[in-house]
Amino acid sequence: MSGEFGRVLVVDDNRVIRQLIRVNLELEGFEVMTAADGVECLEVVHRAAPDVVTLDVVMPRLDGLRTAAVLRADPRTSHLPLALISAGTQHEAESARGASVDAFLAKPFEPAQLVRLVRRLAGAGEHVRPVCQGAAPAPRARR
């Protein structure tokens, strides 16, 4: 797939969820790569050069919050829009704000919500506009 609307790296330890997200985004013109956890994400992100990264919170080896922190600390990936997609407890939403992610989407979600979120993050231009359930994190400048 050509990735008409951008490249997305989907990180989730659940194969079914990864496939669900992949199919919904590919149907809307995104090129999608996947990783099964944060460690694999960090291995893939530099090769794949995504425009957006979606992260599950609870994953083995390296969870989504710690993966987001590593991505933000690396100058090569600090500009990437990051969206946490997880079970959606209030604690996770608050943790997302503290992790400097750009968006939080609670599972279960409607496919249209996912597509709108990723489109907005991929096409954010100069600044990523937060798209969160609950209070929004501060916008992050993009390179």
Side-chain angles (χ1 to χ4, degrees):
M1 178 160 256
S2 67
E4 178 182 346
F5 292 106
R7 303 180 87 185
V8 181
L9 176 55
V10 174
V11 186
D12 197 301
D13 61 319
N14 184 310
R15 183 184 57 79
V16 173
I17 299 295
R18 280 194 315 268
Q19 187 64 14
L20 171 75
I21 294 172
R22 164 179 263 188
V23 166
N24 279 285
L25 293 176
E26 285 181 344
L27 286 171
E28 295 296 326
F30 289 96
E31 180 180 356
V32 180
M33 293 81 47
T34 63
D37 61 34
V39 172
E40 188 177 350
C41 169
L42 297 175
E43 293 168 0
V44 171
V45 73
H46 299 294
R47 280 194 325 265
D51 299 303
V52 176
V53 177
T54 69
L55 298 162
D56 186 18
V57 174
V58 179
M59 296 185 289
R61 299 199 299 167
L62 188 62
D63 69 33
L65 294 172
R66 293 189 322 203
T67 302
V70 172
L71 291 170
R72 288 292 185 233
D74 185 334
R76 297 172 297 173
T77 57
S78 63
H79 68 285
L80 283 176
L82 305 176
L84 285 181
I85 300 177
S86 194
T89 66
Q90 183 61 33
H91 174 71
E92 286 176 346
E94 291 169 6
S95 296
R97 286 192 300 274
S100 296
V101 299
D102 302 296
F104 181 84
L105 182 62
K107 292 177 186 174
F109 54 84
E110 292 295 323
Q113 286 178 295
L114 169 72
V115 170
R116 278 192 305 272
L117 181 145
V118 172
R119 267 198 189 133
R120 185 179 261 164
L121 292 176
E126 288 293 310
H127 296 282
V128 174
R129 277 185 30 179
V131 183
C132 269
Q133 308 255 342
R140 299 197 54 87
R142 293 184 71 191
R143 277 197 249 172

